[in-house]
């Protein structure tokens, strides 16, 4: 069994309850009791989806910033926008998120990129006689270093910066250029490039210092470094207690920066961060140009903002039929059915045309890839890539009139059925949306049958007539809600959630459920947890 | 043990030498100029098999590359061997970390070094080092090529290595102290630039050392800083050497002309210029290992931003080839691979890949024109061209290309077009090339069959 399926089946407990593949699951009550079983309690539901009991704390002290975070940190510290061009660190994308620490390293390729980023900073400052207000001297460089270090730079780093500035000036660089090059170097200072969480006095469970918690809160809720007022608040004792940390988290979740950070998470979660690079056949989709991509992105952003301004709930985000910009995107919504303010052929973020188009092919929907991604992102079901399989059973695309006709055979082929009995119903449901995300009822002159059944999980989606019914049922399913918690947890803490994280996720899921699945409450719950405030004791702790 | 020749010696005495290539003698006992060279070439996103492989001539020695993407290699087909049905396993857009390595992981990570890294290590371990360990070249690869989808070059830890994408920087690194005037090399501006580069890298290294001592990190986290420090050191080794400020370089006029050509050269010239730079580096024994990587594999965005993707800004198409007055190819290499042969994008794809193969053919022709004893420098070289798969639209690993050009030290018959009839995994090809360099045993990829391709004869 491949690593991915092993990992998926081990971690995702509800995946073990695979009704569609393995047969029926017995009722939760005694078999003799007639009628449908009573729904599990909220606590039981949380335990079903996060059953692990052994809680462990994050084993890290070094968290490398993503390229975007580093750019934001530098721009905030300098108070100026930098033209980064193509200079960019490589962020290892693990599963969906470009911040999983297991891959966040600094090999030669990234050091090279870091130097390029430093050159961009130097270029930006070279013509500025005031050096962005820092004064082009050692004192100014020290101030800049403190800002970049999110509070306080080590003395040794400051000395090193001063020495570098002196060497550059001695080499004959004029003051702004020397300062710019020294500022460019500072991007690579360990305390800038990495968040360091050394913590307070060593113990079995090490509590982070207030400054470290301030930094942690800023990255957890905003995805960027802490502003000066938050640093000052931490230094003045405003984050000394868990209650204060929670109150601050709640305040930060109401800031527009949280909505932007949430938007970045959602884009990575559902893969529409790739919309900017999505290209379509100019013959089949002549309207799909840069302007069209921009309007699709505008629609997505407005859709998410509308949900956050309303009940802010995950269920609404995934199932609402309001907020689709049918007037602004007439070529896209020409085939849709609209009644009142509702678009009857759409439901939720996943069925927005931009989201659908972002990961579809240039000419085809790539239906199975699309289905695999939905199972992975919404249900946390990881299916392995087909490996060393005989594709001769698969009809050529030119010979089949529909994706259903082409792939139905695989649900009955022994080496393929395990995956395709899950993939096929999802893929066929979404075939009503073409590679550009437009709604359609036919393809190649044949009617598209989007009906199907997905019978796995604690609360199965069950039978559906189309993708709208599918998404409406999925949004209310504990499997999807729990998977969302798992995805958000992994993104927020830069890791692969495993059984050892179940207690933290169970705790957060309960709070999330109690709050009506309000997205902001989930992130506040993360900030409130001991997983955020503490780290595990490590070899080398002094 | 052979001492690497100094560059100035080679310029003074030329590269002519009696060349003996005894098959029975270990190749590491050869004189420096005779030692084998290795180039690995990567053109991503599959190869479009219908336009790549000739229809006729399989297994009968009489094949013709005319009309195919490989057409630029036709004049050298007697020194080219082509395999039709090599198989790369897994998602083709995840092949970059694995295509030349012994690694098996996807998602941007590889377990081990790429073949070019291993060959360079082998040379160094035998005391046969050169002034430059290897050249890692990128032609129209985006930014410094730090991404997993761009650089197949992996170090001993499997980490991606940066590619040099600016021909001028490559030239300066190789030849700055041999070309031009003392005034230009040793001007105040030039000195300042070199001083700044060294000072910044030096400051990075001491910062990392200091952080390590201060933070008292867990061994797993120390590895992160160790890798950071290694990365800095690797870049320090790539800095252009301090030039000679006492006398003019005395380089051959061809190198001076190359220096003039690289200055501000348009992208359309980069392929051939990089090929010439590699060839001259081989001729002067400045290095014996190079990798030549084109464009970018798969994915068109990074971190939500569209990358400054290959070819879209500069490739011009007319009548099946690049033409400076042709129509703009206004999209990405990956995108082109997803169209049929009879589409506009499909025709562009053929032309772009043929342009890249043209650069490889230019390199091979340059090496062929350099006589070494009874043979040529091409005879003493092995050029290996591979891609991530065959049909890039369907992401199929079958019919992936494996093209060998040069002598391969007589271990692989050349001038052959072979279809093995059943799957030959790409690891088998790597195994054969590794064997020809007497590399210690390595398992390449996750291939179930790692036998060398020589079993096909």
């Amino acid at each position: 069994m491949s690593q991915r399926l092993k990992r998926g089946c081990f971690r995702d407990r509800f995946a073990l309850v695979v009704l569609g593949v393995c047969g029926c699951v017995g009722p939760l009550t005694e078999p003799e009791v007639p009628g449908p079983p009573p729904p599990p309690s909220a606590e039981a539901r949380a335990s079903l989806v996060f059953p692990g009991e052994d809680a462990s704390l994050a084993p890290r002290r070094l968290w490398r910033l993503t390229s975007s975070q580093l750019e934001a940190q530098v721009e905030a510290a300098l108070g100026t926008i930098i033209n980064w061009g193509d200079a960019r660190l490589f962020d290892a994308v693990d599963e969906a998120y470009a911040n999983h620490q297991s891959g966040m390293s600094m090999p030669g390729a990234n050091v090279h990129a870091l130097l390029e980023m430093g050159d961009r900073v130097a270029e930006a400052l070279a013509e500025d006689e005031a050096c962005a207000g820092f004064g082009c001297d050692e004192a100014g460089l020290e101030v800049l270093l403190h800002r970049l270090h999110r509070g306080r730079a080590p003395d040794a780093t400051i000395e090193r910066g001063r020495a570098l500035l002196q060497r550059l000036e001695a080499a004959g660089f004029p003051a702004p250029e020397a300062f710019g090059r020294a500022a460019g170097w500072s991007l690579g200072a360990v305390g800038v490039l990495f968040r360091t969480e050394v913590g307070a006095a060593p113990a079995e469970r090490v509590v982070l210092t207030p400054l470290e918690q301030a930094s942690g809160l800023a990255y957890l809720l905003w995805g960027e470094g802490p502003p000066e007022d938050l640093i000052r608040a931490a230094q003045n004792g405003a984050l000394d207690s868990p209650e204060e940390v929670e109150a601050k988290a709640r305040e930060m979740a109401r800031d527009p920066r949280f909505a932007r950070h949430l938007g970045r998470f959602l884009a990575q979660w559902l893969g529409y961060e790739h919309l900017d690079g999505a290209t379509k056949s100019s013959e089949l989709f002549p309207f799909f140009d840069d302007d069209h991509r921009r309007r699709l992105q505008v629609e997505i952003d407005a859709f998410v903002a509308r949900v956050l301004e309303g009940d802010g709930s995950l269920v609404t985000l995934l199932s609402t039929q309001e907020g689709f910009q049918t007037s602004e995107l007439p070529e896209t919504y020409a085939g849709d059915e609209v009644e009142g303010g509702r678009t009857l052929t759409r439901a939720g973020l996943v069925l927005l045309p931009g989201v659908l188009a972002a990961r579809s092919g240039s000419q085809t929907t790539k239906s199975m890839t699309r289905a695999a991604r939905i199972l992975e992102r919404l249900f946390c079901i990881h299916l392995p890539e087909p490996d060393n399989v005989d594709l001769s059973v698969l009809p050529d695309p030119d010979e089949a009139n529909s994706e259903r006709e082409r792939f139905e055979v695989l649900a009955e082929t022994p080496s393929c059925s395990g995956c395709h009995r899950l993939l096929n119903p999802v893929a066929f449901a979404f075939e009503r949306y073409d590679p550009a995300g437009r709604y359609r009822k036919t393809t190649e002159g044949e009617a598209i049958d989007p009906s199907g059944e997905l019978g796995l999980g604690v609360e199965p989606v069950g039978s559906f007539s189309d993708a709208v019914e599918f998404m409406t049922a999925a949004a209310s399913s504990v499997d999807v809600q729990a998977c969302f918690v798992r995805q958000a947890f992994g993104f927020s803490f830069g890791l692969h959630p495993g059984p050892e994280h179940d207690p933290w996720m169970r705790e957060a899921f309960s709070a999330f459920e109690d709050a009506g699945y309000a997205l902001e409450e989930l992130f506040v719950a993360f900030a409130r947890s001991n997983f955020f405030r503490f780290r595990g004791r490590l070899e080398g702790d002094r | 043990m052979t001492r690497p020749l100094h560059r100035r010696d080679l310029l003074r005495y030329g590269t002519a030498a009696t060349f003996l290539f005894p098959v029975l003698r270990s190749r590491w006992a050869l004189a420096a100029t005779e030692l084998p060279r290795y180039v690995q070439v990567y053109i991503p996103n599959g190869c479009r098999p219908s336009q790549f492989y000739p229809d006729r001539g399989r297994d009968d020695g009489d094949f013709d590359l005319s009309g195919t993407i490989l057409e630029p290699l036709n004049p050298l087909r007697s020194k080219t061997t082509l395999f039709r049905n090599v198989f790369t396993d897994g998602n083709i857009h995840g092949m970059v970390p694995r295509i030349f390595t012994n690694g098996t992981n996807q998602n941007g990570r590889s377990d081990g070094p790429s073949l070019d890294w291993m060959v360079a290590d082998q040379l160094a371990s035998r005391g046969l080092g050169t002034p430059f360990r290897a050249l890692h070249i990128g032609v129209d690869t985006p930014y410094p090529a730090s991404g997993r989808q761009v650089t197949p070059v992996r170090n001993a830890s499997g980490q991606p290595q940066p590619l040099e994408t600016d021909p001028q920087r490559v030239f300066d690194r190789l030849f700055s102290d041999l070309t031009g005037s003392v005034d230009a090399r040793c001007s105040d501006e030039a000195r300042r630039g070199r001083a700044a580069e060294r000072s910044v890298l030096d400051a990075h290294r001491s910062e990392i050392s200091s952080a390590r001592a201060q933070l008292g990190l867990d061994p797993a986290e120390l590895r992160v800083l160790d890798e950071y420090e290694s990365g800095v050191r690797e870049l320090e080794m790539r800095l252009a050497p301090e030039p000679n400020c006492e006398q003019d370089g005395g380089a051959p006029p061809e190198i001076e002309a190359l220096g003039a050509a690289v200055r501000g050269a348009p992208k359309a010239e980069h392929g051939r210029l990089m090929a010439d730079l590699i060839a001259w580096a081989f001729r002067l024994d400045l290095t014996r290992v190079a990798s030549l990587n084109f464009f970018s594999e798969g994915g068109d965005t990074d971190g939500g931003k569209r990358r400054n993707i290959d070819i879209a800004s500069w490739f011009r198409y007319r009548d099946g080839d690049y033409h400076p007055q042709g129509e703009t190819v206004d999209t990405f290499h990956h995108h082109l691979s997803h169209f049929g042969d009879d589409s506009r994008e499909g025709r562009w794809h053929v032309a772009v890949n043929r342009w890249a193969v043209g650069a490889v053919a230019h390199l091979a022709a340059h090496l062929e024109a350099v006589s070494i004893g009874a043979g040529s420098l091409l005879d003493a070289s092995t050029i290996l061209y591979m891609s991530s798969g065959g049909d890039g639209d369907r992401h199929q690993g079958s019919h992936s290309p494996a093209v060998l050009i040069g002598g391969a030290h007589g271990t692989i018959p050349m001038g052959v077009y072979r279809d093995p009839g059943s799957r030959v995994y790409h690891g088998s090809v790597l195994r054969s090339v590794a064997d020809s360099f007497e590399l210690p045993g390595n398992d390449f990829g996750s291939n179930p069959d790692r036998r060398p391709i020589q079993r096909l004869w």
Side-chain angles (χ1 to χ4, degrees):
Chain A
M1 186 185 287
S2 77
Q3 279 294 106
R4 290 184 76 188
L5 186 56
K6 252 195 278 191
R7 207 170 61 216
C9 286
F10 180 68
R11 288 185 299 154
D12 304 317
R13 296 297 190 271
F14 45 86
L16 294 177
V17 190
V18 177
L19 300 178
V21 175
C22 302
C24 294
V25 159
L28 295 174
T29 56
E30 291 297 314
E32 295 79 17
V33 176
S41 65
E43 190 178 327
R45 277 151 55 94
S47 293
L48 268 174
V49 292
F50 299 113
E53 291 297 336
D54 293 328
S56 73
L57 295 166
R60 299 196 67 88
R61 266 164 299 189
L62 279 185
W63 303 81
R64 206 210 83 192
L65 299 189
T66 66
S67 197
S68 300
Q69 287 171 343
L70 181 61
E71 290 170 16
Q73 180 73 2
V74 172
E75 290 178 351
L78 287 172
T80 188
I81 303 293
I82 303 289
N83 177 11
W84 298 104
D86 296 325
R88 182 171 180 78
L89 297 180
F90 159 49
D91 297 330
V93 174
D94 219 323
E95 299 192 14
Y97 309 113
N99 68 349
H100 276 203
Q101 290 299 313
S102 57
M104 299 293 278
S105 57
M106 286 299 294
N110 260 356
V111 177
H112 192 172
L114 186 69
L115 294 180
E116 293 277 325
M117 293 177 78
D119 286 347
R120 298 291 181 276
V121 171
E123 283 162 15
L125 295 177
E127 304 295 323
D128 182 356
E129 294 292 333
C131 294
F134 289 92
C136 303
D137 56 16
E138 291 177 25
L141 184 62
E142 180 175 342
V143 172
L144 175 62
L145 282 168
H146 286 314
R147 282 197 195 169
L148 287 169
H149 280 77
R150 296 171 286 274
R152 174 118 199 115
D155 292 340
T157 301
I158 293 172
E159 279 314 305
R160 204 162 291 115
R162 287 177 189 269
L164 176 61
L165 187 58
Q166 289 164 11
R167 277 208 298 278
L168 292 168
E169 286 171 345
F173 287 102
E177 199 175 339
F179 185 90
R181 286 176 182 265
W185 160 79
S186 61
L187 270 63
V190 172
V192 174
L193 184 57
F194 295 85
R195 283 170 50 206
T196 55
E197 293 182 341
V198 179
E204 204 48 48
R205 199 173 67 159
V206 180
V207 67
L208 302 186
T209 65
L211 265 183
E212 288 169 344
Q213 290 193 59
S215 189
L217 277 178
Y219 281 103
L220 174 66
L221 291 157
W222 294 342
E224 57 187 58
E228 290 292 322
D229 58 342
L230 182 58
I231 293 172
R232 272 197 303 277
Q235 289 170 329
N236 293 335
L239 294 179
D240 285 352
S241 71
E243 293 74 24
E244 286 169 317
V245 170
E246 179 180 347
K248 179 57 71 175
R250 217 171 271 294
E251 179 189 318
M252 291 170 73
R254 288 190 289 271
D255 188 285
R257 280 171 281 195
F258 171 72
R260 282 201 295 275
H261 182 56
L262 181 68
R264 283 193 288 269
F265 163 63
L266 295 175
Q268 292 182 54
W269 174 49
L270 293 179
Y272 61 83
E273 59 162 347
H274 297 280
L275 177 58
D276 192 38
T279 49
K280 307 297 172 188
S281 162
S282 54
E283 292 166 21
L284 298 175
F285 308 103
F287 58 89
F288 205 96
D289 55 14
D290 283 349
D291 180 64
H292 185 75
R293 271 188 288 272
R294 184 191 57 77
R295 288 188 290 135
L296 290 177
Q297 184 64 57
V298 166
E299 183 191 32
I300 293 172
D301 294 341
F303 187 94
V304 173
R306 189 174 185 280
V307 171
L308 291 180
E309 285 159 15
D311 64 9
S313 147
L314 174 68
V315 178
T316 305
L317 185 71
L318 294 181
S319 63
T320 183
Q321 294 187 299
E322 297 176 357
F324 293 88
Q325 294 187 349
T326 54
S327 306
E328 289 84 341
L329 292 160
E331 68 285 289
T332 297
Y333 286 103
D336 283 89
E337 295 166 32
V338 181
E339 186 180 280
R342 294 170 57 222
T343 308
L344 303 181
T345 42
R346 307 272 175 172
L349 182 63
V350 176
L351 292 183
L352 276 168
V355 176
L356 291 162
R359 298 312 294 261
S360 292
S362 309
Q363 304 165 83
T364 66
T365 58
K366 293 165 77 172
S367 63
M368 292 302 150
T369 305
R370 198 189 243 180
R373 188 168 295 111
I374 287 168
L375 287 171
E376 186 178 299
R377 297 274 154 258
L378 265 63
F379 295 87
C380 292
I381 302 295
H382 299 265
L383 298 176
E385 298 268 354
D387 186 28
N388 198 22
V389 294
D390 180 8
L391 295 176
S392 63
V393 298
L394 193 64
D396 196 270
D398 297 330
E399 295 166 6
N401 288 325
S402 68
E403 291 292 273
R404 184 182 287 271
E405 191 176 310
R406 186 162 184 241
F407 286 101
E408 261 180 336
V409 62
L410 296 186
E412 306 304 325
T413 304
S415 59
C416 308
S417 60
C419 292
H420 275 275
R421 288 172 71 182
L422 298 176
L423 287 167
N424 284 6
V426 180
F428 301 157
F430 279 74
E431 266 303 281
R432 278 266 175 104
Y433 306 91
D434 75 6
R438 297 179 302 183
Y439 183 78
R440 60 184 180 178
K441 289 186 175 176
T442 64
T443 179
E444 306 287 330
E446 296 285 323
I448 298 172
D449 174 8
S451 64
E453 180 178 355
L454 194 65
L456 76 155
V458 175
E459 291 179 352
V461 166
S463 301
F464 49 87
S465 62
D466 60 16
V468 171
E469 279 194 12
F470 176 88
M471 283 311 307
T472 304
S476 299
S477 153
V478 71
D479 305 286
V480 170
Q481 293 154 1
C483 179
F484 184 82
V485 170
R486 184 182 297 279
Q487 300 280 337
F489 188 86
F491 170 80
S492 295
F493 294 106
L495 47 74
H496 286 293
E500 69 275 22
H501 304 113
D502 274 355
W504 313 116
M505 290 190 288
R506 184 167 62 238
E507 183 182 70
F509 177 80
S510 294
F512 188 41
E513 193 173 40
D514 289 344
Y517 308 103
L519 296 163
E520 150 189 326
E521 282 302 317
L522 177 61
F523 286 80
V524 171
F526 289 158
R528 190 171 51 234
S529 84
N530 283 343
F531 189 82
F532 169 78
R533 295 188 60 241
F534 294 86
R535 65 161 177 81
R537 186 182 174 84
L538 290 165
E539 183 180 339
D541 269 325
R542 289 195 288 256
Chain B
M1 184 175 295
T2 308
R3 177 186 70 82
L5 294 177
H6 193 279
R7 289 186 280 176
R8 295 188 194 290
D9 298 328
L10 291 167
L11 281 173
R12 272 198 285 274
Y13 303 119
T15 58
T18 301
F19 178 79
L20 293 172
F21 197 72
V23 175
L24 297 176
R25 191 170 140 214
S26 171
R27 53 195 56 87
W28 305 119
L30 299 169
T33 53
E34 303 161 345
L35 287 167
R37 273 70 163 163
Y38 172 65
V39 183
Q40 71 189 28
V41 178
Y42 189 67
I43 304 174
N45 301 310
C47 71
R48 192 175 287 272
S50 56
Q51 303 294 317
F52 190 85
Y53 297 103
D55 290 331
R56 297 182 300 103
R58 259 174 277 181
D59 299 327
D60 63 7
D62 178 28
F63 65 96
D64 186 346
L65 300 172
S66 301
T68 71
I69 288 171
L70 293 174
E71 183 168 359
L73 286 170
N74 216 22
L76 285 168
R77 64 183 185 278
S78 65
K79 298 193 177 182
T80 300
T81 281
L82 172 64
F83 289 94
R84 184 183 177 93
N85 199 7
V86 171
F87 187 77
T88 56
D89 55 340
N91 171 20
I92 73 167
H93 292 320
M95 281 307 296
V96 169
R98 302 159 57 191
I99 190 68
F100 292 113
T101 76
N102 61 357
T104 60
N105 279 330
Q106 297 197 42
N107 292 327
R109 292 192 299 280
S110 169
D111 283 337
S114 51
L115 191 51
D116 58 329
W117 198 273
M118 286 193 275
V119 172
D121 271 351
Q122 174 79 323
L123 285 165
S125 71
R126 290 172 181 265
L128 301 172
T130 45
F132 300 95
R133 186 178 179 283
L135 289 182
H136 304 307
I137 303 291
V139 176
D140 203 21
T141 50
Y143 38 85
S146 53
R148 67 183 166 115
Q149 289 166 320
V150 178
T151 171
V153 181
R154 305 278 151 152
N155 68 5
S157 307
Q159 293 293 336
Q161 298 305 297
L163 304 178
E164 297 281 5
T165 56
D166 181 353
Q168 170 128 35
R169 282 181 65 104
V170 176
F171 181 89
D172 288 343
R173 191 174 156 217
L174 291 172
F175 305 119
S176 60
D177 62 337
L178 300 174
T179 57
S181 67
V182 168
D183 289 343
R185 290 200 300 276
C186 304
S187 66
D188 287 345
E189 189 181 341
R191 285 181 196 273
R192 266 207 306 272
R194 287 192 294 273
E197 274 187 320
R198 291 190 191 286
S199 297
V200 166
L201 283 172
D202 186 55
H204 274 303
R205 223 172 359 87
S206 60
E207 166 70 13
I208 296 165
S209 296
S210 169
R212 184 188 289 121
Q214 183 186 29
L215 289 169
L217 296 174
D218 181 75
E221 293 177 314
L222 277 174
R223 199 173 62 238
V224 173
L225 290 187
D226 286 345
E227 188 179 71
Y228 187 8
E229 191 171 33
S230 294
V232 172
R233 263 192 260 112
E234 279 166 16
L235 285 183
E236 282 179 323
M237 289 189 331
R238 291 189 180 205
L239 291 176
E242 284 300 318
N244 167 30
C245 291
E246 293 169 12
Q247 63 184 63
D248 287 344
E254 299 97 303
I255 293 185
E256 292 284 359
L258 184 57
V262 297
R263 267 174 207 94
K267 279 274 178 70
E269 296 299 315
H270 281 201
R272 288 178 171 242
L273 288 172
M274 291 296 200
D276 280 329
L277 287 164
I278 292 172
W280 273 108
F282 280 9
R283 289 174 70 169
L284 299 180
D285 218 27
L286 302 179
T287 189
R288 299 186 196 109
V289 179
S291 64
L292 183 57
N293 307 276
F294 294 85
F295 316 133
S296 171
E297 180 74 53
D300 304 318
T301 57
D302 188 4
K305 297 180 187 177
R306 188 186 303 184
R307 293 149 45 163
N308 183 20
I309 291 294
D310 43 68
I311 69 171
S313 64
W314 63 271
F315 199 91
R316 302 286 182 269
Y317 171 90
R318 182 190 287 179
D319 297 331
D321 279 302
Y322 173 84
H323 192 287
Q325 275 81 50
E327 64 180 346
T328 302
V329 170
D330 59 358
T331 186
F332 322 139
H333 189 265
H334 169 233
H335 187 217
L336 295 183
S337 67
H338 281 285
F339 287 83
D341 291 347
D342 55 359
S343 67
R344 178 186 67 168
E345 287 85 351
R347 287 189 289 275
W348 287 350
H349 189 218
V350 170
V352 168
N353 279 10
R354 188 181 286 129
W355 174 89
V357 172
V360 179
H362 184 79
L363 169 62
H366 188 146
L367 297 175
E368 175 69 355
V370 178
S371 297
I372 300 181
S376 71
L377 191 48
L378 182 63
D379 294 327
S381 302
T382 300
I383 301 174
L384 171 63
Y385 158 31
M386 299 185 89
S387 184
S388 48
D391 185 337
D393 182 34
R394 299 190 191 183
H395 290 185
Q396 287 180 339
S398 54
H399 297 98
S400 186
V403 184
L404 285 156
I405 310 160
H409 327 303
T411 58
I412 299 171
M414 303 309 286
V416 172
Y417 174 28
R418 179 58 58 103
D419 183 344
S422 60
R423 277 180 186 169
V424 171
Y425 286 85
H426 87 280
S428 290
V429 179
L430 297 181
R431 173 77 270 146
S432 296
V433 175
D435 284 348
S436 73
F437 283 94
E438 299 179 8
L439 295 182
N442 285 284
D443 291 334
F444 288 100
S446 59
N447 301 175
D449 183 350
R450 300 185 182 91
R451 292 174 296 164
I453 51 173
Q454 280 84 345
R455 74 183 186 280
L456 301 176
W457 278 270

